Amino acid sequence: MVIIERINKLWDNGVAVIASAGNNETVEYPAKYEEVVAVGSINAEGELSEQSASGDELEVVAPGEQIL
């Protein structure tokens, strides 16, 4: 089964699928799929981390830089 088929099956059964947006310029798969919540990274100042992906698909951010 292809990953998007698995994601759709989870989605159809009420399961939230959450994935890292990645560390490239744009959001990467599987986070790029509409059915997946894409999570980016912020720094200590609450700004998007330099290494975090960005773009329209990015839905949530969480601390991800210099975490002690």
Side-chain angles (χ1 to χ4, degrees):
M1 187 181 290
V2 180
I3 191 165
I4 189 60
E5 292 171 350
R6 290 175 189 240
I7 290 169
N8 284 330
K9 186 173 184 177
L10 290 167
W11 178 265
D12 291 344
N13 285 293
V15 177
V17 180
I18 302 167
S20 167
N23 293 333
N24 289 322
E25 216 171 286
T26 60
V27 176
E28 300 174 33
Y29 289 99
K32 194 168 187 147
Y33 289 121
E34 186 176 331
E35 299 83 359
V36 177
V37 177
V39 181
S41 168
I42 57 172
N43 61 25
E45 287 78 39
E47 301 166 339
L48 198 62
S49 299
E50 285 186 31
Q51 74 272 11
S52 179
S54 62
D56 293 339
E57 300 92 347
L58 191 64
E59 298 171 274
V60 174
V61 293
E65 187 177 312
Q66 297 180 349
I67 304 300
L68 300 176

Short mmCIF file of all heavy atoms in Angstrom, two decimals:
data_model
loop_
_atom_site.label_atom_id
_atom_site.label_comp_id
_atom_site.label_asym_id
_atom_site.label_seq_id
_atom_site.Cartn_x
_atom_site.Cartn_y
_atom_site.Cartn_z
N MET A 1 0.84 -1.18 0.00
CA MET A 1 0.00 0.00 0.00
C MET A 1 0.89 1.24 0.00
O MET A 1 1.83 1.35 0.77
CB MET A 1 -0.90 -0.03 1.24
CG MET A 1 -1.94 1.06 1.25
SD MET A 1 -3.01 1.07 2.73
CE MET A 1 -3.98 -0.39 2.47
N VAL A 2 0.58 2.19 -0.86
CA VAL A 2 1.34 3.44 -0.97
C VAL A 2 1.04 4.31 0.26
O VAL A 2 -0.06 4.25 0.81
CB VAL A 2 0.94 4.18 -2.26
CG1 VAL A 2 1.69 5.49 -2.42
CG2 VAL A 2 1.16 3.29 -3.48
N ILE A 3 1.99 5.12 0.66
CA ILE A 3 1.86 5.90 1.89
C ILE A 3 0.61 6.78 1.90
O ILE A 3 -0.08 6.87 2.91
CB ILE A 3 3.12 6.74 2.19
CG1 ILE A 3 3.03 7.30 3.61
CG2 ILE A 3 3.32 7.83 1.17
CD1 ILE A 3 4.32 7.81 4.16
N ILE A 4 0.25 7.42 0.80
CA ILE A 4 -0.94 8.27 0.79
C ILE A 4 -2.20 7.44 1.01
O ILE A 4 -3.15 7.91 1.65
CB ILE A 4 -1.04 9.15 -0.48
CG1 ILE A 4 -2.18 10.18 -0.35
CG2 ILE A 4 -1.23 8.29 -1.72
CD1 ILE A 4 -2.06 11.15 0.79
N GLU A 5 -2.21 6.21 0.55
CA GLU A 5 -3.36 5.33 0.80
C GLU A 5 -3.47 5.01 2.29
O GLU A 5 -4.57 4.99 2.85
CB GLU A 5 -3.24 4.05 -0.02
CG GLU A 5 -3.39 4.28 -1.51
CD GLU A 5 -3.06 3.05 -2.33
OE1 GLU A 5 -2.53 2.06 -1.79
OE2 GLU A 5 -3.33 3.09 -3.54
N ARG A 6 -2.34 4.80 2.93
CA ARG A 6 -2.35 4.54 4.38
C ARG A 6 -2.79 5.77 5.15
O ARG A 6 -3.56 5.68 6.11
CB ARG A 6 -0.96 4.10 4.84
CG ARG A 6 -0.59 2.73 4.34
CD ARG A 6 0.84 2.38 4.72
NE ARG A 6 1.24 1.17 4.05
CZ ARG A 6 1.62 0.08 4.68
NH1 ARG A 6 1.69 0.05 5.99
NH2 ARG A 6 1.98 -0.99 4.00
N ILE A 7 -2.30 6.93 4.73
CA ILE A 7 -2.70 8.18 5.38
C ILE A 7 -4.20 8.39 5.22
O ILE A 7 -4.88 8.75 6.18
CB ILE A 7 -1.89 9.36 4.80
CG1 ILE A 7 -0.43 9.26 5.25
CG2 ILE A 7 -2.50 10.70 5.22
CD1 ILE A 7 0.51 10.22 4.54
N ASN A 8 -4.72 8.19 4.02
CA ASN A 8 -6.15 8.35 3.78
C ASN A 8 -6.97 7.39 4.63
O ASN A 8 -8.03 7.75 5.14
CB ASN A 8 -6.49 8.18 2.30
CG ASN A 8 -6.11 9.39 1.49
OD1 ASN A 8 -6.11 10.51 1.99
ND2 ASN A 8 -5.76 9.18 0.23
N LYS A 9 -6.50 6.16 4.79
CA LYS A 9 -7.21 5.18 5.62
C LYS A 9 -7.25 5.65 7.07
O LYS A 9 -8.29 5.57 7.73
CB LYS A 9 -6.54 3.81 5.51
CG LYS A 9 -7.29 2.71 6.21
CD LYS A 9 -6.69 1.36 5.92
CE LYS A 9 -7.54 0.28 6.58
NZ LYS A 9 -7.07 -1.05 6.28
N LEU A 10 -6.14 6.15 7.57
CA LEU A 10 -6.10 6.69 8.93
C LEU A 10 -7.04 7.88 9.05
O LEU A 10 -7.83 7.98 10.00
CB LEU A 10 -4.67 7.10 9.30
CG LEU A 10 -3.68 5.96 9.49
CD1 LEU A 10 -2.26 6.49 9.54
CD2 LEU A 10 -4.01 5.18 10.75
N TRP A 11 -6.97 8.80 8.09
CA TRP A 11 -7.81 10.00 8.07
C TRP A 11 -9.29 9.61 8.10
O TRP A 11 -10.07 10.17 8.86
CB TRP A 11 -7.47 10.81 6.83
CG TRP A 11 -8.26 12.06 6.63
CD1 TRP A 11 -9.38 12.21 5.86
CD2 TRP A 11 -8.01 13.35 7.19
NE1 TRP A 11 -9.84 13.49 5.90
CE2 TRP A 11 -9.00 14.23 6.71
CE3 TRP A 11 -7.03 13.85 8.03
CZ2 TRP A 11 -9.05 15.56 7.05
CZ3 TRP A 11 -7.08 15.19 8.37
CH2 TRP A 11 -8.09 16.03 7.89
N ASP A 12 -9.65 8.65 7.26
CA ASP A 12 -11.04 8.20 7.18
C ASP A 12 -11.53 7.57 8.48
O ASP A 12 -12.73 7.55 8.75
CB ASP A 12 -11.21 7.19 6.04
CG ASP A 12 -11.06 7.83 4.67
OD1 ASP A 12 -11.14 9.08 4.57
OD2 ASP A 12 -10.85 7.09 3.69
N ASN A 13 -10.58 7.08 9.30
CA ASN A 13 -10.93 6.46 10.58
C ASN A 13 -10.74 7.42 11.76
O ASN A 13 -10.71 7.00 12.92
CB ASN A 13 -10.11 5.19 10.78
CG ASN A 13 -10.62 4.06 9.92
OD1 ASN A 13 -11.73 3.57 10.14
ND2 ASN A 13 -9.86 3.67 8.91
N GLY A 14 -10.59 8.70 11.46
CA GLY A 14 -10.51 9.72 12.51
C GLY A 14 -9.17 9.85 13.19
O GLY A 14 -9.09 10.43 14.27
N VAL A 15 -8.12 9.34 12.58
CA VAL A 15 -6.79 9.41 13.18
C VAL A 15 -6.04 10.61 12.60
O VAL A 15 -5.94 10.77 11.38
CB VAL A 15 -5.98 8.12 12.90
CG1 VAL A 15 -4.57 8.24 13.46
CG2 VAL A 15 -6.70 6.92 13.48
N ALA A 16 -5.52 11.46 13.47
CA ALA A 16 -4.72 12.59 13.03
C ALA A 16 -3.32 12.11 12.69
O ALA A 16 -2.69 11.40 13.48
CB ALA A 16 -4.66 13.65 14.11
N VAL A 17 -2.85 12.50 11.53
CA VAL A 17 -1.49 12.16 11.12
C VAL A 17 -0.67 13.45 11.17
O VAL A 17 -1.02 14.44 10.53
CB VAL A 17 -1.46 11.55 9.70
CG1 VAL A 17 -0.03 11.20 9.29
CG2 VAL A 17 -2.35 10.33 9.63
N ILE A 18 0.42 13.42 11.95
CA ILE A 18 1.24 14.60 12.18
C ILE A 18 2.67 14.26 11.78
O ILE A 18 3.18 13.20 12.13
CB ILE A 18 1.17 15.02 13.66
CG1 ILE A 18 -0.29 15.29 14.03
CG2 ILE A 18 2.05 16.23 13.93
CD1 ILE A 18 -0.54 15.40 15.50
N ALA A 19 3.33 15.19 11.04
CA ALA A 19 4.68 14.91 10.58
C ALA A 19 5.51 16.19 10.57
O ALA A 19 4.99 17.30 10.40
CB ALA A 19 4.66 14.31 9.19
N SER A 20 6.79 16.03 10.75
CA SER A 20 7.72 17.14 10.64
C SER A 20 7.68 17.70 9.22
O SER A 20 7.63 16.96 8.24
CB SER A 20 9.13 16.65 10.95
OG SER A 20 10.08 17.63 10.57
N ALA A 21 7.72 19.03 9.12
CA ALA A 21 7.74 19.68 7.82
C ALA A 21 9.08 19.47 7.12
O ALA A 21 9.16 19.57 5.90
CB ALA A 21 7.46 21.18 7.98
N GLY A 22 10.10 19.17 7.88
CA GLY A 22 11.42 18.91 7.31
C GLY A 22 12.37 20.07 7.48
O GLY A 22 12.02 21.12 8.03
N ASN A 23 13.58 19.89 6.99
CA ASN A 23 14.64 20.89 7.16
C ASN A 23 15.08 21.51 5.84
O ASN A 23 16.13 22.12 5.77
CB ASN A 23 15.86 20.27 7.85
CG ASN A 23 15.55 19.88 9.28
OD1 ASN A 23 14.69 20.46 9.91
ND2 ASN A 23 16.25 18.89 9.78
N ASN A 24 14.29 21.34 4.80
CA ASN A 24 14.59 21.99 3.53
C ASN A 24 13.77 23.26 3.41
O ASN A 24 13.00 23.61 4.28
CB ASN A 24 14.30 21.03 2.36
CG ASN A 24 15.32 19.91 2.29
OD1 ASN A 24 16.50 20.12 2.54
ND2 ASN A 24 14.86 18.73 1.98
N GLU A 25 13.92 23.95 2.30
CA GLU A 25 13.22 25.22 2.09
C GLU A 25 11.70 25.08 2.11
O GLU A 25 11.00 25.92 2.66
CB GLU A 25 13.67 25.80 0.74
CG GLU A 25 13.78 27.30 0.74
CD GLU A 25 14.42 27.79 -0.52
OE1 GLU A 25 15.65 27.63 -0.66
OE2 GLU A 25 13.69 28.33 -1.36
N THR A 26 11.19 24.03 1.50
CA THR A 26 9.74 23.83 1.43
C THR A 26 9.34 22.60 2.24
O THR A 26 10.16 21.75 2.55
CB THR A 26 9.28 23.65 -0.03
OG1 THR A 26 9.94 22.51 -0.59
CG2 THR A 26 9.60 24.88 -0.87
N VAL A 27 8.05 22.51 2.55
CA VAL A 27 7.52 21.38 3.32
C VAL A 27 7.69 20.10 2.50
O VAL A 27 7.41 20.07 1.30
CB VAL A 27 6.04 21.61 3.66
CG1 VAL A 27 5.46 20.41 4.37
CG2 VAL A 27 5.89 22.86 4.53
N GLU A 28 8.17 19.05 3.17
CA GLU A 28 8.44 17.77 2.53
C GLU A 28 7.31 16.78 2.80
O GLU A 28 6.53 16.95 3.73
CB GLU A 28 9.75 17.20 3.07
CG GLU A 28 10.96 18.10 2.83
CD GLU A 28 12.21 17.57 3.49
OE1 GLU A 28 12.38 16.34 3.57
OE2 GLU A 28 13.02 18.40 3.94
N TYR A 29 7.26 15.74 1.98
CA TYR A 29 6.31 14.64 2.22
C TYR A 29 6.82 13.78 3.34
O TYR A 29 8.03 13.66 3.50
CB TYR A 29 6.15 13.80 0.94
CG TYR A 29 5.40 14.53 -0.13
CD1 TYR A 29 6.06 15.16 -1.18
CD2 TYR A 29 4.00 14.61 -0.11
CE1 TYR A 29 5.36 15.84 -2.16
CE2 TYR A 29 3.30 15.29 -1.07
CZ TYR A 29 3.99 15.91 -2.10
OH TYR A 29 3.28 16.58 -3.06
N PRO A 30 5.97 13.22 4.17
CA PRO A 30 4.52 13.15 4.07
C PRO A 30 3.80 14.38 4.60
O PRO A 30 2.59 14.52 4.42
CB PRO A 30 4.16 11.92 4.90
CG PRO A 30 5.20 11.87 5.95
CD PRO A 30 6.46 12.37 5.28
N ALA A 31 4.51 15.32 5.26
CA ALA A 31 3.85 16.49 5.83
C ALA A 31 3.16 17.35 4.77
O ALA A 31 2.21 18.06 5.06
CB ALA A 31 4.86 17.34 6.59
N LYS A 32 3.60 17.25 3.54
CA LYS A 32 3.05 18.06 2.46
C LYS A 32 1.63 17.61 2.05
O LYS A 32 0.87 18.39 1.49
CB LYS A 32 3.98 18.02 1.25
CG LYS A 32 3.69 19.06 0.22
CD LYS A 32 4.81 19.16 -0.78
CE LYS A 32 4.55 20.34 -1.70
NZ LYS A 32 5.78 20.96 -2.13
N TYR A 33 1.27 16.37 2.36
CA TYR A 33 -0.07 15.90 2.03
C TYR A 33 -1.11 16.71 2.80
O TYR A 33 -0.91 17.04 3.97
CB TYR A 33 -0.25 14.41 2.37
CG TYR A 33 0.51 13.48 1.48
CD1 TYR A 33 1.46 12.62 2.01
CD2 TYR A 33 0.27 13.43 0.11
CE1 TYR A 33 2.15 11.73 1.20
CE2 TYR A 33 0.96 12.55 -0.70
CZ TYR A 33 1.89 11.71 -0.16
OH TYR A 33 2.58 10.84 -0.97
N GLU A 34 -2.23 17.01 2.16
CA GLU A 34 -3.30 17.80 2.78
C GLU A 34 -3.85 17.13 4.04
O GLU A 34 -4.25 17.81 4.99
CB GLU A 34 -4.43 17.99 1.76
CG GLU A 34 -5.52 18.90 2.24
CD GLU A 34 -6.58 19.13 1.18
OE1 GLU A 34 -6.25 19.09 -0.01
OE2 GLU A 34 -7.73 19.35 1.56
N GLU A 35 -3.84 15.82 4.08
CA GLU A 35 -4.40 15.07 5.22
C GLU A 35 -3.46 15.00 6.41
O GLU A 35 -3.81 14.45 7.45
CB GLU A 35 -4.74 13.64 4.78
CG GLU A 35 -5.76 13.54 3.68
CD GLU A 35 -5.18 13.71 2.27
OE1 GLU A 35 -3.96 13.92 2.13
OE2 GLU A 35 -5.96 13.63 1.32
N VAL A 36 -2.26 15.55 6.28
CA VAL A 36 -1.25 15.48 7.33
C VAL A 36 -1.00 16.87 7.92
O VAL A 36 -0.91 17.85 7.19
CB VAL A 36 0.08 14.90 6.77
CG1 VAL A 36 1.16 14.88 7.82
CG2 VAL A 36 -0.15 13.51 6.19
N VAL A 37 -0.89 16.95 9.24
CA VAL A 37 -0.56 18.20 9.90
C VAL A 37 0.95 18.39 9.82
O VAL A 37 1.72 17.56 10.34
CB VAL A 37 -1.02 18.19 11.38
CG1 VAL A 37 -0.61 19.47 12.08
CG2 VAL A 37 -2.53 17.99 11.46
N ALA A 38 1.39 19.47 9.17
CA ALA A 38 2.81 19.75 8.99
C ALA A 38 3.31 20.62 10.14
O ALA A 38 2.77 21.69 10.40
CB ALA A 38 3.03 20.46 7.67
N VAL A 39 4.36 20.16 10.83
CA VAL A 39 4.90 20.86 11.99
C VAL A 39 6.28 21.43 11.66
O VAL A 39 7.20 20.70 11.28
CB VAL A 39 5.01 19.92 13.21
CG1 VAL A 39 5.55 20.68 14.42
CG2 VAL A 39 3.67 19.29 13.52
N GLY A 40 6.41 22.74 11.83
CA GLY A 40 7.70 23.41 11.63
C GLY A 40 8.38 23.65 12.97
O GLY A 40 7.85 23.32 14.03
N SER A 41 9.54 24.28 12.91
CA SER A 41 10.37 24.49 14.09
C SER A 41 10.55 25.98 14.35
O SER A 41 10.78 26.76 13.43
CB SER A 41 11.73 23.83 13.84
OG SER A 41 12.66 24.23 14.80
N ILE A 42 10.45 26.37 15.64
CA ILE A 42 10.74 27.75 16.02
C ILE A 42 11.95 27.80 16.95
O ILE A 42 12.30 26.81 17.58
CB ILE A 42 9.54 28.44 16.70
CG1 ILE A 42 9.05 27.69 17.93
CG2 ILE A 42 8.41 28.67 15.69
CD1 ILE A 42 7.99 28.41 18.74
N ASN A 43 12.55 28.97 17.03
CA ASN A 43 13.71 29.16 17.90
C ASN A 43 13.27 29.75 19.24
O ASN A 43 12.08 29.92 19.50
CB ASN A 43 14.77 30.03 17.21
CG ASN A 43 14.25 31.42 16.87
OD1 ASN A 43 13.33 31.94 17.48
ND2 ASN A 43 14.87 32.04 15.87
N ALA A 44 14.21 30.11 20.10
CA ALA A 44 13.92 30.62 21.44
C ALA A 44 13.18 31.94 21.41
O ALA A 44 12.47 32.29 22.35
CB ALA A 44 15.22 30.76 22.23
N GLU A 45 13.29 32.69 20.31
CA GLU A 45 12.59 33.96 20.17
C GLU A 45 11.17 33.80 19.60
O GLU A 45 10.46 34.78 19.39
CB GLU A 45 13.39 34.92 19.26
CG GLU A 45 14.63 35.50 19.91
CD GLU A 45 15.79 34.49 19.94
OE1 GLU A 45 15.96 33.75 18.96
OE2 GLU A 45 16.51 34.45 20.94
N GLY A 46 10.78 32.56 19.33
CA GLY A 46 9.46 32.30 18.77
C GLY A 46 9.37 32.53 17.27
O GLY A 46 8.28 32.57 16.71
N GLU A 47 10.52 32.65 16.61
CA GLU A 47 10.57 32.85 15.17
C GLU A 47 10.85 31.51 14.49
O GLU A 47 11.48 30.63 15.09
CB GLU A 47 11.67 33.84 14.81
CG GLU A 47 11.48 35.20 15.45
CD GLU A 47 12.73 36.05 15.37
OE1 GLU A 47 13.85 35.50 15.19
OE2 GLU A 47 12.60 37.28 15.52
N LEU A 48 10.42 31.38 13.26
CA LEU A 48 10.69 30.17 12.50
C LEU A 48 12.20 29.92 12.44
O LEU A 48 12.97 30.83 12.12
CB LEU A 48 10.12 30.30 11.09
CG LEU A 48 9.92 29.02 10.30
CD1 LEU A 48 8.92 28.10 10.98
CD2 LEU A 48 9.45 29.34 8.89
N SER A 49 12.62 28.73 12.78
CA SER A 49 14.05 28.37 12.76
C SER A 49 14.58 28.46 11.33
O SER A 49 13.85 28.21 10.37
CB SER A 49 14.25 26.95 13.26
OG SER A 49 13.81 26.82 14.59
N GLU A 50 15.85 28.79 11.22
CA GLU A 50 16.48 28.87 9.90
C GLU A 50 16.41 27.54 9.16
O GLU A 50 16.25 27.52 7.95
CB GLU A 50 17.93 29.32 10.02
CG GLU A 50 18.08 30.78 10.32
CD GLU A 50 19.53 31.22 10.29
OE1 GLU A 50 20.33 30.64 9.54
OE2 GLU A 50 19.85 32.16 11.04
N GLN A 51 16.53 26.43 9.88
CA GLN A 51 16.52 25.12 9.23
C GLN A 51 15.12 24.58 8.99
O GLN A 51 14.94 23.57 8.32
CB GLN A 51 17.36 24.10 10.00
CG GLN A 51 16.73 23.60 11.27
CD GLN A 51 17.02 24.45 12.49
OE1 GLN A 51 17.55 25.54 12.39
NE2 GLN A 51 16.67 23.95 13.66
N SER A 52 14.09 25.23 9.51
CA SER A 52 12.72 24.73 9.36
C SER A 52 12.17 25.01 7.96
O SER A 52 12.41 26.08 7.39
CB SER A 52 11.80 25.37 10.38
OG SER A 52 10.47 24.90 10.23
N ALA A 53 11.43 24.07 7.45
CA ALA A 53 10.72 24.28 6.19
C ALA A 53 9.65 25.34 6.41
O ALA A 53 9.20 25.57 7.53
CB ALA A 53 10.07 22.98 5.73
N SER A 54 9.26 26.00 5.33
CA SER A 54 8.18 26.97 5.41
C SER A 54 7.30 26.83 4.17
O SER A 54 7.68 26.16 3.22
CB SER A 54 8.74 28.40 5.50
OG SER A 54 9.48 28.71 4.34
N GLY A 55 6.15 27.43 4.21
CA GLY A 55 5.25 27.37 3.07
C GLY A 55 3.81 27.27 3.51
O GLY A 55 3.51 27.17 4.70
N ASP A 56 2.91 27.29 2.55
CA ASP A 56 1.48 27.26 2.83
C ASP A 56 1.05 25.99 3.56
O ASP A 56 0.06 26.01 4.30
CB ASP A 56 0.68 27.37 1.53
CG ASP A 56 0.83 28.74 0.89
OD1 ASP A 56 1.20 29.71 1.59
OD2 ASP A 56 0.58 28.84 -0.33
N GLU A 57 1.78 24.89 3.37
CA GLU A 57 1.39 23.62 3.99
C GLU A 57 1.72 23.58 5.48
O GLU A 57 1.19 22.76 6.22
CB GLU A 57 2.10 22.44 3.31
CG GLU A 57 1.78 22.30 1.84
CD GLU A 57 2.79 23.04 0.96
OE1 GLU A 57 3.58 23.85 1.47
OE2 GLU A 57 2.76 22.79 -0.26
N LEU A 58 2.58 24.47 5.95
CA LEU A 58 2.99 24.50 7.36
C LEU A 58 1.80 24.95 8.21
O LEU A 58 1.23 26.01 8.00
CB LEU A 58 4.16 25.47 7.55
CG LEU A 58 4.87 25.43 8.88
CD1 LEU A 58 5.53 24.08 9.09
CD2 LEU A 58 5.90 26.53 8.95
N GLU A 59 1.40 24.10 9.16
CA GLU A 59 0.20 24.37 9.95
C GLU A 59 0.47 24.67 11.41
O GLU A 59 -0.29 25.40 12.05
CB GLU A 59 -0.75 23.18 9.85
CG GLU A 59 -1.22 22.96 8.42
CD GLU A 59 -1.98 21.68 8.27
OE1 GLU A 59 -1.33 20.64 8.06
OE2 GLU A 59 -3.20 21.74 8.37
N VAL A 60 1.53 24.11 11.97
CA VAL A 60 1.83 24.24 13.39
C VAL A 60 3.34 24.37 13.54
O VAL A 60 4.10 23.82 12.74
CB VAL A 60 1.36 22.97 14.15
CG1 VAL A 60 1.78 23.00 15.60
CG2 VAL A 60 -0.15 22.81 14.05
N VAL A 61 3.77 25.11 14.57
CA VAL A 61 5.19 25.18 14.89
C VAL A 61 5.39 24.76 16.34
O VAL A 61 4.47 24.88 17.16
CB VAL A 61 5.78 26.57 14.65
CG1 VAL A 61 5.80 26.90 13.16
CG2 VAL A 61 5.05 27.64 15.41
N ALA A 62 6.57 24.29 16.64
CA ALA A 62 6.92 23.86 17.99
C ALA A 62 8.39 24.16 18.22
O ALA A 62 9.16 24.28 17.27
CB ALA A 62 6.67 22.36 18.14
N PRO A 63 8.80 24.30 19.50
CA PRO A 63 10.22 24.53 19.77
C PRO A 63 11.08 23.46 19.12
O PRO A 63 10.78 22.27 19.22
CB PRO A 63 10.30 24.45 21.29
CG PRO A 63 8.92 24.81 21.75
CD PRO A 63 8.01 24.23 20.73
N GLY A 64 12.13 23.88 18.44
CA GLY A 64 12.97 22.92 17.76
C GLY A 64 14.40 23.33 17.57
O GLY A 64 15.17 22.67 16.88
N GLU A 65 14.78 24.43 18.16
CA GLU A 65 16.16 24.91 18.02
C GLU A 65 16.70 25.21 19.40
O GLU A 65 16.03 25.86 20.22
CB GLU A 65 16.16 26.19 17.17
CG GLU A 65 17.54 26.67 16.82
CD GLU A 65 17.48 27.89 15.90
OE1 GLU A 65 16.75 27.87 14.91
OE2 GLU A 65 18.16 28.86 16.20
N GLN A 66 17.91 24.73 19.70
CA GLN A 66 18.58 24.93 20.98
C GLN A 66 17.69 24.47 22.15
O GLN A 66 17.50 25.17 23.14
CB GLN A 66 18.99 26.38 21.15
CG GLN A 66 19.99 26.83 20.12
CD GLN A 66 20.39 28.27 20.29
OE1 GLN A 66 19.80 29.02 21.04
NE2 GLN A 66 21.43 28.67 19.55
N ILE A 67 17.14 23.27 22.02
CA ILE A 67 16.32 22.70 23.08
C ILE A 67 17.24 22.04 24.11
O ILE A 67 18.05 21.20 23.77
CB ILE A 67 15.35 21.63 22.50
CG1 ILE A 67 14.49 22.24 21.41
CG2 ILE A 67 14.49 21.03 23.60
CD1 ILE A 67 13.64 23.39 21.82
N LEU A 68 17.10 22.43 25.35
CA LEU A 68 17.95 21.86 26.41
C LEU A 68 17.27 20.65 27.02
O LEU A 68 16.10 20.56 27.17
CB LEU A 68 18.23 22.91 27.48
CG LEU A 68 18.93 24.17 26.98
CD1 LEU A 68 19.05 25.18 28.11
CD2 LEU A 68 20.31 23.83 26.43
#
